[in-house]
Amino acid sequence: MSTQQPDDDDVYTHGHHESVVRAHASRTAENSAAFVIPHLTPGVSVLDVGCGPGSITCDFAGLVAPGKVTGLDRSPDIIAQATALAAERGAANAEFLAGNIYDLDFEDETFDVVHAHQVLQHLTDPVEALREMRRVAKPGGIVAVRDADFHGMSWYPAIPELDEWMDLYQRIARRNGAEPDAGRRLVSWVQSAGFSDVAPTSSNWLYATGQQRRWQARVWGERVLHSAFAEQALEYGFANPADLARISAGWHRWGSTDDGWFLIPNGEVIARA
């Protein structure tokens, strides 16, 4: 694979269906990047790679002002949404650009903090992406990454359709050349990218109240039917419409339980440049 533009060939398993973007927009620095917050002090410069709709990025902007925060995503439509969010929130020190994680359009040693949340799991070459993130980090600066670990997820009660969902997600992601169990591999990838000062942590997302269960069930119940996940499942011949309908119904059945539990573990790494 060329190291110049592999991003053009990478397939994003989730896509940008409204249900996906809505879920990503619920993420905040507090619930999704708490391990980075101690490093975000006024005046620090930040690059948020794979920023999505910009909710975490705008939180960063508030923490480092008057420092500048740059959000980067490969989708111009998502960049437009993030730009609108920054305007709505008055985050004048945040800017959003379309770009390629493998070929960042910045000089060497530009940023104090380079951050990527739930990005490496979708890449065909996460180590090369980390090398590029390291290139644009200042000496003594940090590269901070966080990714879920799909096979580490656990749920209750046992619902066969959720087992089907996990198997299908694994097959689709791996067909795309990605690594859905990224969380457990972050230390290895960061070391392979040339970092020696590596601080690993982990944290969870938990859906175990009625409101949380209903939210998670709506998100995945819809994504299974309508997002790029559904399109790829059908295109690759891994599922048919009846399969997807059954899995979606299983998500809603789980969401209607009174005692349901869904745990998503995330690996985290702070790597010093």
Side-chain angles (χ1 to χ4, degrees), residues 134-253:
R134 183 172 185 246
R135 178 186 68 79
V136 300
K138 293 179 182 179
I142 64 167
V143 171
V145 291
R146 183 176 192 254
D147 272 275
D149 191 305
F150 272 73
H151 267 145
M153 295 179 187
S154 60
W155 56 84
Y156 178 85
I159 292 182
E161 291 85 355
L162 294 192
D163 293 326
E164 287 187 71
W165 165 79
M166 175 60 72
D167 178 68
L168 183 57
Y169 188 92
Q170 291 278 341
R171 293 178 69 194
I172 292 171
R174 295 183 188 286
R175 167 67 167 73
N176 289 337
E179 178 48 75
D181 302 337
R184 70 188 70 181
R185 290 170 166 80
L186 293 183
V187 170
S188 177
W189 288 345
V190 167
Q191 290 175 341
S192 296
F195 292 92
S196 58
D197 186 348
V198 178
T201 55
S202 66
S203 62
N204 300 322
W205 283 320
L206 176 63
Y207 304 89
T209 68
Q211 181 180 5
Q212 291 167 344
R213 284 190 293 269
R214 289 189 296 272
W215 186 88
Q216 177 76 338
R218 281 198 306 270
V219 165
W220 270 108
E222 190 172 347
R223 286 161 76 164
V224 164
L225 295 176
H226 303 298
S227 72
F229 172 91
E231 295 168 1
Q232 292 163 27
L234 298 173
E235 178 186 346
Y236 300 159
F238 294 161
N240 59 44
D243 296 326
L244 299 180
R246 184 178 61 256
I247 294 170
S248 177
W251 268 108
H252 288 293
R253 194 164 73 256

Side-chain angles (χ1 to χ4, degrees), residues 30-51:
E30 183 178 1
N31 69 28
S32 299
F35 75 115
V36 188
I37 290 176
H39 302 274
L40 301 175
T41 54
V44 162
S45 59
V46 180
L47 174 64
D48 190 15
V49 183
C51 64

Side-chain angles (χ1 to χ4, degrees), residues 36-119:
V36 188
I37 290 176
H39 302 274
L40 301 175
T41 54
V44 162
S45 59
V46 180
L47 174 64
D48 190 15
V49 183
C51 64
S55 55
I56 296 175
T57 322
C58 287
D59 283 352
F60 286 175
L63 293 169
V64 305
K68 183 178 178 182
V69 176
T70 302
L72 183 139
D73 200 277
R74 75 176 187 175
S75 167
D77 290 342
I78 296 300
I79 288 298
Q81 292 185 42
T83 300
L85 179 65
E88 177 185 322
R89 293 178 51 174
N93 61 323
E95 69 168 356
F96 294 91
L97 306 168
N100 184 340
I101 192 172
Y102 299 105
D103 187 19
L104 298 171
D105 192 19
F106 304 104
E107 298 293 330
D108 295 357
E109 303 177 1
T110 298
F111 299 96
D112 296 301
V113 175
V114 183
H115 170 260
H117 182 262
Q118 310 298 339
V119 173

